[in-house]
Coordinates of all heavy atoms in Angstrom, one line a residue:
M169 N -128.0 1.8 -25.1 CA -128.1 2.4 -26.5 C -127.0 2.0 -27.2 O -125.9 1.8 -26.8 CB -128.1 3.9 -26.4 CG -129.3 4.5 -25.5 SD -131.0 4.3 -26.2 CE -130.9 5.3 -27.7
L170 N -127.3 1.8 -28.5 CA -126.2 1.4 -29.5 C -125.8 2.7 -30.4 O -126.7 3.3 -31.0 CB -126.8 0.3 -30.4 CG -127.4 -0.9 -29.8 CD1 -127.8 -1.9 -30.9 CD2 -126.4 -1.6 -29.0
L171 N -124.5 3.0 -30.3 CA -124.1 4.1 -30.9 C -124.3 4.0 -32.5 O -124.5 4.9 -33.2 CB -122.6 4.6 -30.5 CG -122.2 5.8 -31.0 CD1 -123.0 7.1 -30.6 CD2 -120.8 6.1 -30.6
N172 N -123.7 2.9 -32.9 CA -123.7 2.6 -34.4 C -124.3 1.2 -34.6 O -123.5 0.3 -34.8 CB -122.3 2.8 -34.9 CG -122.3 2.7 -36.5 OD1 -123.2 2.1 -37.0 ND2 -121.2 3.1 -37.1
P173 N -125.7 1.1 -34.8 CA -126.1 -0.3 -34.8 C -125.7 -1.1 -36.1 O -125.6 -2.4 -36.0 CB -127.6 0.0 -34.9 CG -127.8 1.2 -34.4 CD -126.6 2.0 -34.6
E174 N -125.5 -0.4 -37.1 CA -125.1 -1.1 -38.4 C -123.8 -1.7 -38.1 O -123.5 -2.8 -38.5 CB -125.1 -0.2 -39.6 CG -126.5 0.4 -40.1 CD -126.9 1.5 -39.2 OE1 -126.1 2.2 -38.4 OE2 -128.1 1.8 -39.1
A175 N -122.7 -1.0 -37.7 CA -121.4 -1.5 -37.4 C -121.4 -2.6 -36.4 O -120.7 -3.7 -36.6 CB -120.5 -0.4 -37.0
L176 N -122.2 -2.5 -35.4 CA -122.3 -3.5 -34.4 C -122.9 -4.8 -34.9 O -122.5 -5.9 -34.6 CB -123.1 -3.0 -33.2 CG -122.5 -2.0 -32.4 CD1 -123.3 -1.3 -31.3 CD2 -121.2 -2.6 -31.5
A177 N -123.8 -4.7 -35.8 CA -124.5 -5.9 -36.5 C -123.4 -6.6 -37.3 O -123.4 -7.7 -37.4 CB -125.7 -5.4 -37.3
V178 N -122.8 -5.8 -38.2 CA -121.7 -6.4 -38.9 C -120.6 -7.1 -38.1 O -120.2 -8.2 -38.4 CB -120.9 -5.4 -39.8 CG1 -119.7 -6.0 -40.5 CG2 -121.9 -4.8 -40.9
D179 N -120.3 -6.6 -36.9 CA -119.2 -7.1 -36.0 C -119.9 -8.5 -35.4 O -119.2 -9.4 -35.1 CB -118.9 -6.2 -35.0 CG -118.0 -5.2 -35.6 OD1 -117.2 -5.3 -36.6 OD2 -117.9 -4.0 -35.0
A180 N -121.2 -8.4 -35.2 CA -121.9 -9.5 -34.6 C -121.7 -10.7 -35.5 O -121.6 -11.8 -35.1 CB -123.3 -9.2 -34.2
L181 N -122.0 -10.4 -36.8 CA -121.9 -11.6 -37.8 C -120.5 -12.1 -37.7 O -120.4 -13.4 -37.8 CB -122.3 -11.0 -39.2 CG -123.7 -10.6 -39.5 CD1 -123.9 -10.0 -40.8 CD2 -124.6 -11.8 -39.3
E182 N -119.5 -11.4 -37.7 CA -118.2 -11.8 -37.7 C -117.9 -12.6 -36.3 O -117.2 -13.7 -36.4 CB -117.2 -10.6 -37.7 CG -115.7 -11.2 -37.9 CD -114.7 -10.0 -37.9 OE1 -115.1 -8.8 -37.7 OE2 -113.6 -10.3 -38.3
L183 N -118.5 -12.3 -35.3 CA -118.4 -13.0 -34.1 C -119.3 -14.4 -34.0 O -119.2 -15.1 -33.0 CB -118.6 -12.2 -32.9 CG -117.3 -11.3 -32.5 CD1 -117.8 -10.3 -31.4 CD2 -116.2 -12.1 -32.1
E184 N -120.2 -14.4 -34.9 CA -121.2 -15.4 -35.0 C -122.3 -15.5 -33.9 O -122.4 -16.6 -33.4 CB -120.5 -16.7 -35.3 CG -119.6 -16.8 -36.6 CD -118.9 -18.1 -36.7 OE1 -118.9 -18.9 -35.9 OE2 -118.3 -18.2 -37.9
Y185 N -122.9 -14.4 -33.6 CA -124.0 -14.3 -32.7 C -125.0 -13.5 -33.3 O -124.8 -12.6 -34.1 CB -123.5 -13.8 -31.3 CG -123.3 -12.5 -31.1 CD1 -124.3 -11.5 -30.7 CD2 -122.1 -11.8 -31.4 CE1 -124.2 -10.3 -30.5 CE2 -121.9 -10.5 -31.2 CZ -122.8 -9.6 -30.8 OH -122.7 -8.3 -30.6
L186 N -126.1 -13.7 -32.9 CA -127.4 -12.8 -33.4 C -127.6 -11.7 -32.6 O -128.0 -11.7 -31.3 CB -128.6 -13.7 -33.4 CG -128.5 -15.0 -34.3 CD1 -129.8 -15.8 -34.2 CD2 -128.3 -14.7 -35.7
I187 N -127.3 -10.4 -33.1 CA -127.3 -9.3 -32.3 C -128.8 -9.0 -31.7 O -128.9 -8.6 -30.6 CB -126.9 -8.0 -33.2 CG1 -126.6 -6.9 -32.2 CG2 -127.8 -7.6 -34.3 CD1 -126.0 -5.7 -32.8
E188 N -129.8 -9.4 -32.5 CA -131.1 -9.2 -32.1 C -131.4 -9.9 -30.9 O -132.2 -9.4 -30.0 CB -132.0 -9.5 -33.3 CG -133.5 -9.1 -32.8 CD -134.5 -9.5 -34.0 OE1 -134.1 -9.9 -35.1 OE2 -135.7 -9.2 -34.0
F189 N -131.0 -11.1 -30.8 CA -131.4 -12.0 -29.6 C -130.4 -12.3 -28.7 O -130.6 -12.6 -27.4 CB -131.8 -13.4 -30.3 CG -132.9 -13.4 -31.3 CD1 -132.7 -13.5 -32.5 CD2 -134.2 -13.0 -30.8 CE1 -133.7 -13.4 -33.4 CE2 -135.1 -12.8 -31.7 CZ -135.0 -13.1 -33.1
E190 N -129.0 -12.0 -28.9 CA -128.1 -12.4 -28.1 C -127.1 -11.3 -27.6 O -126.3 -11.6 -26.7 CB -127.2 -13.5 -28.7 CG -127.6 -14.8 -29.1 CD -126.9 -15.6 -29.8 OE1 -126.7 -15.5 -31.0 OE2 -126.3 -16.6 -29.2
L191 N -127.3 -10.1 -28.0 CA -126.4 -8.9 -27.7 C -126.4 -8.8 -26.1 O -125.3 -8.6 -25.5 CB -126.9 -7.7 -28.4 CG -126.1 -6.3 -27.9 CD1 -124.6 -6.5 -28.2 CD2 -126.5 -5.2 -28.6
K192 N -127.6 -8.8 -25.4 CA -127.6 -8.6 -24.0 C -126.9 -9.6 -23.3 O -126.1 -9.3 -22.3 CB -129.1 -8.5 -23.5 CG -129.3 -8.1 -22.2 CD -130.8 -8.1 -21.7 CE -130.9 -7.8 -20.3 NZ -132.2 -7.8 -19.7
D193 N -127.0 -10.9 -23.6 CA -126.3 -11.9 -23.0 C -124.8 -11.8 -23.3 O -124.0 -11.9 -22.3 CB -126.8 -13.3 -23.5 CG -128.2 -13.5 -23.0 OD1 -128.7 -13.0 -22.1 OD2 -128.8 -14.5 -23.7
V194 N -124.3 -11.5 -24.5 CA -122.9 -11.3 -24.8 C -122.4 -10.3 -23.9 O -121.2 -10.4 -23.3 CB -122.7 -11.1 -26.3 CG1 -121.3 -10.8 -26.7 CG2 -123.1 -12.4 -27.1
F195 N -123.0 -9.1 -24.0 CA -122.6 -8.0 -23.3 C -122.4 -8.1 -21.9 O -121.4 -7.9 -21.2 CB -123.4 -6.7 -23.5 CG -122.9 -5.5 -23.1 CD1 -122.0 -4.8 -23.5 CD2 -123.4 -5.0 -21.8 CE1 -121.4 -3.6 -23.0 CE2 -123.0 -3.8 -21.2 CZ -122.0 -3.0 -21.8
N196 N -123.5 -8.9 -21.2 CA -123.4 -9.2 -19.7 C -122.3 -10.2 -19.4 O -121.6 -10.0 -18.4 CB -124.7 -9.7 -19.4 CG -125.8 -8.6 -19.2 OD1 -125.4 -7.5 -19.0 ND2 -127.1 -9.0 -19.3
E197 N -122.1 -11.0 -20.3 CA -121.1 -12.1 -20.1 C -119.7 -11.4 -20.1 O -118.8 -11.6 -19.4 CB -121.1 -13.1 -21.1 CG -120.4 -14.4 -20.8 CD -120.6 -15.6 -21.7 OE1 -121.6 -15.6 -22.3 OE2 -119.6 -16.5 -21.9
L198 N -119.5 -10.5 -21.0 CA -118.3 -9.8 -21.2 C -118.0 -8.9 -20.0 O -116.9 -8.9 -19.4 CB -118.2 -8.9 -22.5 CG -118.0 -9.7 -23.8 CD1 -118.4 -8.7 -24.9 CD2 -116.6 -10.2 -23.9
L199 N -119.0 -8.2 -19.5 CA -118.8 -7.4 -18.3 C -118.6 -8.2 -17.0 O -117.7 -7.8 -16.2 CB -120.0 -6.4 -18.1 CG -120.2 -5.3 -19.0 CD1 -121.4 -4.5 -18.7 CD2 -118.8 -4.4 -18.9
E200 N -119.3 -9.3 -17.0 CA -119.0 -10.2 -15.8 C -117.6 -10.7 -15.7 O -117.1 -11.2 -14.6 CB -120.1 -11.3 -15.7 CG -121.5 -10.9 -15.4 CD -122.5 -12.0 -15.6 OE1 -122.2 -13.0 -16.0 OE2 -123.6 -11.6 -15.4
N201 N -117.0 -10.9 -16.8 CA -115.7 -11.6 -16.9 C -114.7 -10.5 -17.0 O -113.4 -11.0 -16.9 CB -115.7 -12.6 -18.1 CG -116.4 -13.8 -17.8 OD1 -115.9 -14.7 -17.1 ND2 -117.5 -14.0 -18.4
A202 N -114.9 -9.4 -17.3 CA -113.9 -8.3 -17.3 C -113.3 -8.0 -16.0 O -113.9 -8.0 -15.0 CB -114.5 -7.0 -17.9
T203 N -111.8 -7.9 -16.0 CA -111.2 -7.7 -14.8 C -110.4 -6.3 -15.0 O -110.2 -5.8 -16.2 CB -110.1 -8.6 -14.5 OG1 -109.2 -8.7 -15.5 CG2 -110.9 -10.0 -14.3
P204 N -109.8 -5.7 -14.0 CA -109.0 -4.5 -14.2 C -107.9 -4.6 -15.2 O -107.6 -3.7 -16.0 CB -108.6 -4.2 -12.8 CG -109.6 -4.7 -12.0 CD -110.1 -5.8 -12.7
S205 N -107.3 -5.8 -15.2 CA -106.2 -6.0 -16.1 C -106.7 -6.2 -17.6 O -105.8 -6.0 -18.5 CB -105.5 -7.3 -15.8 OG -106.2 -8.4 -15.8
D206 N -108.0 -6.3 -17.9 CA -108.5 -6.3 -19.2 C -108.7 -4.9 -19.6 O -109.1 -4.8 -20.9 CB -109.8 -7.1 -19.2 CG -109.7 -8.7 -18.9 OD1 -108.6 -9.2 -19.4 OD2 -110.7 -9.1 -18.3
Y207 N -108.6 -4.0 -18.9 CA -108.8 -2.6 -19.3 C -107.9 -2.3 -20.5 O -106.6 -2.4 -20.3 CB -108.7 -1.5 -18.2 CG -109.1 -0.1 -18.6 CD1 -110.4 0.2 -18.9 CD2 -108.0 0.8 -18.7 CE1 -110.6 1.4 -19.4 CE2 -108.4 2.1 -19.1 CZ -109.6 2.6 -19.4 OH -110.0 3.7 -19.8
N208 N -108.3 -1.7 -21.6 CA -107.5 -1.5 -22.7 C -107.6 0.0 -23.3 O -107.2 0.3 -24.3 CB -107.9 -2.5 -23.9 CG -106.9 -2.5 -25.1 OD1 -105.8 -2.2 -24.8 ND2 -107.3 -2.9 -26.1
G209 N -108.2 0.8 -22.4 CA -108.4 2.2 -22.7 C -107.3 3.1 -22.0 O -106.3 2.7 -21.4
G210 N -107.6 4.4 -22.3 CA -106.5 5.4 -21.9 C -106.6 5.7 -20.3 O -107.8 5.4 -19.9
R211 N -105.7 6.3 -19.8 CA -105.7 6.7 -18.4 C -105.1 8.1 -18.3 O -103.9 8.2 -18.6 CB -104.8 5.7 -17.6 CG -105.4 4.3 -17.4 CD -104.5 3.5 -16.4 NE -105.1 2.3 -16.2 CZ -105.0 1.0 -16.9 NH1 -104.4 1.2 -18.0 NH2 -105.6 0.0 -16.4
P212 N -106.1 9.1 -18.2 CA -107.5 9.0 -18.1 C -108.1 8.5 -19.3 O -107.6 8.6 -20.4 CB -107.9 10.3 -17.7 CG -106.8 11.3 -18.4 CD -105.6 10.5 -18.4
P213 N -109.5 8.1 -19.2 CA -110.1 7.7 -20.3 C -110.2 8.7 -21.4 O -110.4 9.9 -21.1 CB -111.5 7.3 -20.0 CG -111.4 7.1 -18.3 CD -110.2 8.0 -17.9
Q214 N -110.2 8.3 -22.7 CA -110.4 9.1 -23.8 C -111.9 9.7 -23.8 O -112.7 9.1 -23.2 CB -110.2 8.5 -25.1 CG -108.7 8.0 -25.5 CD -108.7 7.3 -26.8 OE1 -109.6 6.4 -27.1 NE2 -107.7 7.6 -27.4
R215 N -112.1 10.8 -24.4 CA -113.4 11.4 -24.4 C -113.9 11.2 -25.9 O -113.1 11.3 -26.9 CB -113.3 12.9 -24.3 CG -112.8 13.3 -22.7 CD -113.9 13.3 -21.8 NE -113.5 13.6 -20.5 CZ -114.0 14.2 -19.6 NH1 -115.2 14.7 -19.8 NH2 -113.6 14.5 -18.4
S216 N -115.2 11.0 -25.9 CA -115.8 10.8 -27.2 C -116.1 12.1 -28.0 O -116.4 13.1 -27.3 CB -117.2 10.1 -27.0 OG -117.9 9.9 -28.2
Y217 N -115.9 12.0 -29.3 CA -116.4 13.1 -30.2 C -117.4 12.8 -31.0 O -118.0 13.7 -31.7 CB -115.1 13.4 -31.1 CG -113.8 13.8 -30.3 CD1 -112.8 12.9 -30.2 CD2 -113.7 15.2 -30.0 CE1 -111.7 13.4 -29.5 CE2 -112.6 15.6 -29.2 CZ -111.6 14.7 -29.1 OH -110.4 15.0 -28.4
E218 N -118.2 11.6 -30.7 CA -119.4 11.4 -31.4 C -120.6 12.2 -30.8 O -120.6 12.5 -29.7 CB -119.8 9.8 -31.2 CG -118.8 8.9 -31.8 CD -118.8 8.9 -33.2 OE1 -119.8 9.3 -33.9 OE2 -117.9 8.5 -33.8
Q219 N -121.4 12.8 -31.8 CA -122.4 13.8 -31.4 C -123.2 13.3 -30.2 O -123.5 14.1 -29.2 CB -123.3 14.0 -32.5 CG -124.3 15.1 -32.2 CD -125.1 15.4 -33.5 OE1 -124.9 15.0 -34.6 NE2 -126.3 16.2 -33.2
E220 N -123.7 12.1 -30.3 CA -124.7 11.6 -29.2 C -124.0 11.5 -27.9 O -124.7 11.6 -26.7 CB -125.2 10.2 -29.5 CG -126.0 10.2 -30.8 CD -125.2 9.9 -32.1 OE1 -124.0 10.0 -32.0 OE2 -125.8 9.6 -33.2
I221 N -122.8 11.3 -27.8 CA -122.0 11.0 -26.4 C -120.8 11.9 -26.3 O -119.8 11.6 -25.7 CB -121.6 9.5 -26.2 CG1 -120.7 9.1 -27.4 CG2 -122.9 8.7 -26.1 CD1 -120.2 7.8 -27.1
S222 N -120.8 13.1 -27.1 CA -119.7 13.9 -27.1 C -119.3 14.4 -25.6 O -120.2 14.8 -24.9 CB -120.1 15.2 -27.7 OG -119.1 16.2 -27.8
G223 N -118.0 14.3 -25.3 CA -117.4 14.7 -24.1 C -117.5 13.5 -23.0 O -116.8 13.8 -22.0
L224 N -118.2 12.5 -23.3 CA -118.2 11.4 -22.2 C -116.9 10.5 -22.5 O -116.3 10.3 -23.4 CB -119.5 10.4 -22.5 CG -120.9 11.2 -22.4 CD1 -122.0 10.1 -22.8 CD2 -121.1 11.8 -21.0
D225 N -116.5 10.0 -21.2 CA -115.6 9.0 -21.1 C -115.8 7.7 -21.9 O -117.0 7.3 -21.8 CB -115.2 8.7 -19.7 CG -114.7 9.8 -18.8 OD1 -114.0 10.8 -19.5 OD2 -114.6 9.9 -17.6
L226 N -114.8 7.1 -22.6 CA -114.9 5.9 -23.2 C -114.1 4.9 -22.5 O -112.8 5.1 -22.2 CB -114.4 6.1 -24.5 CG -115.2 7.0 -25.6 CD1 -114.3 7.3 -26.8 CD2 -116.4 6.5 -26.0
F227 N -114.7 3.8 -22.1 CA -114.2 2.7 -21.5 C -113.9 1.6 -22.3 O -114.9 1.0 -22.9 CB -114.9 2.3 -20.3 CG -115.1 3.5 -19.2 CD1 -116.3 4.3 -19.3 CD2 -114.1 3.9 -18.4 CE1 -116.5 5.3 -18.5 CE2 -114.2 5.0 -17.6 CZ -115.6 5.7 -17.6
A228 N -112.6 1.1 -22.6 CA -112.4 0.0 -23.5 C -111.6 -1.2 -22.8 O -110.9 -1.0 -21.9 CB -111.4 0.6 -24.6
F229 N -112.2 -2.4 -23.1 CA -111.6 -3.6 -22.6 C -111.4 -4.7 -23.6 O -112.1 -4.7 -24.7 CB -112.6 -4.2 -21.6 CG -112.9 -3.3 -20.4 CD1 -113.8 -2.3 -20.2 CD2 -112.2 -3.7 -19.2 CE1 -113.8 -1.6 -19.1 CE2 -112.3 -3.0 -18.0 CZ -113.3 -1.9 -18.0
T230 N -110.6 -5.5 -23.5 CA -110.3 -6.7 -24.3 C -110.5 -7.8 -23.4 O -109.8 -8.0 -22.5 CB -108.7 -6.7 -24.9 OG1 -108.8 -5.5 -25.7 CG2 -108.7 -7.9 -25.8
V231 N -111.5 -8.7 -23.6 CA -111.9 -9.7 -22.7 C -112.0 -11.1 -23.4 O -112.5 -11.2 -24.6 CB -113.3 -9.3 -22.1 CG1 -113.9 -10.4 -21.2 CG2 -113.3 -8.1 -21.5
K232 N -111.6 -12.2 -22.8 CA -111.8 -13.5 -23.5 C -112.8 -14.2 -22.7 O -112.7 -14.2 -21.4 CB -110.2 -14.3 -23.3 CG -110.4 -15.6 -23.8 CD -110.5 -15.5 -25.3 CE -110.5 -17.1 -26.0 NZ -111.7 -17.6 -26.2
I233 N -113.8 -14.6 -23.4 CA -114.8 -15.5 -22.8 C -115.0 -16.7 -23.6 O -114.5 -16.9 -24.7 CB -116.1 -14.7 -22.7 CG1 -116.7 -14.3 -24.1 CG2 -116.1 -13.6 -21.7 CD1 -118.0 -13.6 -24.0
D234 N -115.5 -17.8 -22.9 CA -115.6 -19.1 -23.5 C -116.6 -19.1 -24.9 O -116.3 -19.9 -25.8 CB -116.3 -20.2 -22.5 CG -115.2 -20.5 -21.5 OD1 -114.1 -20.3 -21.6 OD2 -115.7 -20.9 -20.4
R235 N -117.5 -18.2 -24.9 CA -118.4 -18.1 -26.1 C -117.7 -17.8 -27.4 O -118.1 -18.5 -28.4 CB -119.4 -17.0 -25.8 CG -120.4 -16.8 -26.9 CD -121.2 -15.5 -26.8 NE -122.1 -15.7 -25.6 CZ -123.5 -16.0 -25.8 NH1 -123.9 -16.0 -26.9 NH2 -124.2 -16.0 -24.6
F236 N -116.6 -17.1 -27.4 CA -115.9 -16.9 -28.5 C -114.4 -17.4 -28.5 O -113.8 -17.5 -27.5 CB -115.7 -15.4 -28.7 CG -117.1 -14.6 -28.8 CD1 -117.4 -13.7 -27.8 CD2 -118.0 -15.0 -29.8 CE1 -118.6 -13.1 -27.8 CE2 -119.3 -14.3 -29.7 CZ -119.5 -13.5 -28.8
S237 N -113.9 -17.9 -29.6 CA -112.6 -18.4 -29.7 C -111.5 -17.3 -29.7 O -110.3 -17.7 -29.5 CB -112.5 -19.2 -30.9 OG -112.6 -18.4 -32.2
V238 N -111.8 -16.1 -29.8 CA -110.9 -14.9 -29.7 C -111.2 -14.0 -28.7 O -112.4 -13.9 -28.4 CB -110.8 -14.2 -31.2 CG1 -110.4 -15.3 -32.3 CG2 -112.2 -13.7 -31.7
P239 N -110.3 -13.2 -28.3 CA -110.6 -12.0 -27.3 C -111.4 -11.1 -28.0 O -111.4 -10.8 -29.3 CB -109.2 -11.5 -27.0 CG -108.2 -12.5 -27.5 CD -108.8 -13.3 -28.5
V240 N -112.4 -10.4 -27.3 CA -113.3 -9.4 -27.8 C -113.0 -8.1 -27.3 O -112.8 -7.9 -26.1 CB -114.7 -9.9 -27.3 CG1 -115.8 -8.8 -27.8 CG2 -114.9 -11.2 -28.0
Y241 N -113.0 -7.1 -28.1 CA -112.8 -5.7 -27.8 C -114.2 -5.1 -27.6 O -115.1 -5.3 -28.3 CB -112.0 -4.9 -28.9 CG -111.8 -3.5 -28.6 CD1 -110.7 -3.1 -27.8 CD2 -112.7 -2.5 -29.1 CE1 -110.5 -1.7 -27.7 CE2 -112.4 -1.2 -28.9 CZ -111.4 -0.7 -28.3 OH -111.1 0.6 -28.1
L242 N -114.3 -4.4 -26.4 CA -115.6 -3.9 -26.0 C -115.3 -2.4 -25.4 O -114.4 -2.2 -24.8 CB -116.1 -4.7 -24.8 CG -117.2 -4.1 -23.9 CD1 -118.6 -4.2 -24.8 CD2 -117.4 -4.9 -22.6
K243 N -116.1 -1.5 -26.1 CA -115.9 -0.1 -25.7 C -117.4 0.6 -25.5 O -118.3 0.3 -26.3 CB -115.3 0.7 -26.7 CG -115.0 2.2 -26.4 CD -114.5 3.2 -27.5 CE -113.4 2.6 -28.3 NZ -112.8 3.6 -29.4
F244 N -117.4 1.2 -24.3 CA -118.8 1.8 -23.9 C -118.5 3.1 -23.2 O -117.4 3.5 -22.8 CB -119.6 0.8 -23.1 CG -118.9 0.4 -21.8 CD1 -119.3 1.2 -20.6 CD2 -118.1 -0.7 -21.8 CE1 -118.6 0.7 -19.5 CE2 -117.5 -1.1 -20.6 CZ -117.6 -0.4 -19.4
S245 N -119.6 3.8 -23.1 CA -119.7 5.1 -22.3 C -120.8 5.0 -21.5 O -121.9 4.4 -21.7 CB -119.7 6.3 -23.4 OG -119.5 7.5 -22.7
L246 N -120.7 5.8 -20.4 CA -121.9 6.0 -19.6 C -122.3 7.4 -19.3 O -121.5 8.3 -19.2 CB -121.5 5.5 -18.1 CG -121.1 4.1 -18.0 CD1 -120.4 3.7 -16.7 CD2 -122.3 3.0 -18.3
S247 N -123.6 7.5 -19.3 CA -124.2 9.0 -19.2 C -125.6 8.8 -18.4 O -126.6 8.2 -18.7 CB -124.7 9.4 -20.6 OG -125.4 10.7 -20.3
E248 N -125.3 9.2 -17.1 CA -126.5 9.1 -16.1 C -127.0 7.6 -16.0 O -126.2 6.8 -15.6 CB -127.7 10.1 -16.5 CG -127.2 11.5 -16.3 CD -128.2 12.6 -16.6 OE1 -129.4 12.2 -16.6 OE2 -127.9 13.8 -16.9
N249 N -128.2 7.3 -16.5 CA -128.7 6.0 -16.3 C -128.6 5.2 -17.7 O -129.2 4.3 -17.9 CB -130.1 6.0 -15.9 CG -130.2 6.5 -14.6 OD1 -129.4 6.2 -13.7 ND2 -131.4 7.1 -14.2
V250 N -127.7 5.8 -18.7 CA -127.6 5.2 -20.0 C -126.3 4.7 -20.3 O -125.4 5.3 -20.1 CB -128.1 6.2 -21.1 CG1 -127.9 5.6 -22.5 CG2 -129.4 6.8 -21.0
L251 N -126.2 3.4 -20.7 CA -125.0 2.8 -21.1 C -124.9 2.8 -22.7 O -125.8 2.3 -23.3 CB -124.7 1.5 -20.6 CG -123.6 0.7 -21.1 CD1 -123.1 -0.2 -19.8 CD2 -123.5 0.0 -22.3
W252 N -124.0 3.5 -23.3 CA -123.9 3.6 -24.7 C -122.9 2.5 -25.2 O -121.6 2.6 -24.8 CB -123.3 4.9 -25.2 CG -124.4 6.0 -25.1 CD1 -124.7 6.6 -23.9 CD2 -125.3 6.4 -26.1 NE1 -125.7 7.5 -24.2 CE2 -126.1 7.4 -25.6 CE3 -125.5 6.0 -27.4 CZ2 -127.1 7.9 -26.2 CZ3 -126.6 6.7 -28.1 CH2 -127.3 7.6 -27.5
L253 N -123.1 1.5 -26.0 CA -122.4 0.5 -26.6 C -121.7 1.1 -27.9 O -122.5 1.5 -28.7 CB -123.1 -0.8 -26.8 CG -122.2 -1.9 -27.4 CD1 -121.0 -2.2 -26.5 CD2 -123.0 -3.1 -27.7
V254 N -120.4 1.4 -27.8 CA -119.6 2.0 -29.0 C -119.1 0.9 -29.8 O -119.2 1.0 -31.1 CB -118.6 2.9 -28.5 CG1 -117.9 3.5 -29.6 CG2 -119.2 4.0 -27.6
S255 N -118.4 0.0 -29.4 CA -117.8 -1.2 -30.1 C -117.9 -2.5 -29.4 O -117.8 -2.5 -28.2 CB -116.3 -0.8 -30.3 OG -116.0 0.4 -31.1
L256 N -118.0 -3.6 -30.3 CA -118.1 -5.0 -29.7 C -117.7 -5.7 -30.8 O -118.4 -6.1 -31.7 CB -119.3 -5.2 -29.1 CG -119.4 -6.5 -28.3 CD1 -120.6 -6.5 -27.4 CD2 -119.1 -7.8 -29.0
H257 N -116.3 -6.2 -30.9 CA -116.0 -6.9 -32.1 C -114.6 -7.7 -31.6 O -114.0 -7.7 -30.7 CB -115.6 -6.0 -33.1 CG -114.5 -4.8 -32.9 ND1 -113.2 -5.1 -32.6 CD2 -114.8 -3.5 -32.7 CE1 -112.6 -3.9 -32.4 NE2 -113.6 -3.0 -32.3
K258 N -114.2 -8.6 -32.7 CA -113.0 -9.3 -32.4 C -111.9 -8.2 -32.0 O -111.8 -7.2 -32.8 CB -112.6 -10.1 -33.6 CG -113.4 -11.3 -34.0 CD -113.0 -12.1 -35.1 CE -113.9 -13.2 -35.4 NZ -113.3 -14.0 -36.6
N259 N -111.0 -8.6 -31.2 CA -109.8 -7.7 -30.9 C -108.9 -7.7 -32.1 O -108.5 -8.8 -32.6 CB -109.0 -8.2 -29.7 CG -108.1 -7.2 -29.3 OD1 -108.3 -6.0 -29.2 ND2 -106.8 -7.8 -28.8
R260 N -108.7 -6.5 -32.4 CA -107.8 -6.3 -33.7 C -106.5 -5.7 -33.5 O -106.3 -4.9 -32.7 CB -108.6 -5.3 -34.8 CG -109.8 -5.9 -35.2 CD -110.5 -5.0 -36.1 NE -111.9 -5.5 -36.5 CZ -113.0 -4.8 -36.4 NH1 -112.9 -3.6 -36.1 NH2 -114.2 -5.3 -36.8

């Protein structure tokens, strides 16, 4: 699930990929290449205050993949069988 589709679409344009067709591939590639040292979140993880995912842990990573010339910041949350994509943009 996408927490804020509009913001993710703007960030996709900045990274120069088509969110409609490439988001799944981009996300999978980031997860496949993420290592424990790429973790950029709190310990323990921060909790979300967004209504849809209130109280869920937020997991943040900064990952470098060949697809992009810059490191990418990725934040997501997990709820039972649902992965919520919160952020996916150039690392700022």
Side-chain angles (χ1 to χ4, degrees):
M169 298 292 293
L170 305 180
L171 187 61
N172 185 342
E174 294 83 14
L176 289 167
V178 169
D179 293 330
L181 289 173
E182 186 179 15
L183 283 169
E184 299 179 352
Y185 77 92
L186 299 174
I187 192 168
E188 183 178 4
F189 302 109
E190 298 177 277
L191 176 59
K192 184 177 177 182
D193 292 337
V194 167
F195 185 76
N196 285 336
E197 194 173 338
L198 288 164
L199 286 182
E200 288 173 359
N201 286 281
T203 66
S205 64
D206 294 325
Y207 183 70
N208 196 19
R211 289 183 173 86
Q214 291 179 318
R215 299 273 178 147
S216 175
Y217 296 103
E218 298 287 340
Q219 181 179 352
E220 297 89 343
I221 59 172
S222 180
L224 296 180
D225 290 336
L226 295 168
F227 302 100
F229 291 82
T230 301
V231 183
K232 179 70 176 101
I233 58 174
D234 291 339
R235 179 186 292 256
F236 303 118
S237 62
V238 297
V240 174
Y241 179 82
L242 166 71
K243 187 189 306 183
F244 61 91
S245 189
L246 300 169
S247 172
E248 296 179 20
N249 292 330
V250 178
L251 185 145
W252 287 87
L253 182 57
V254 177
S255 298
L256 196 163
H257 54 75
K258 290 181 180 180
N259 188 40
R260 299 179 185 133

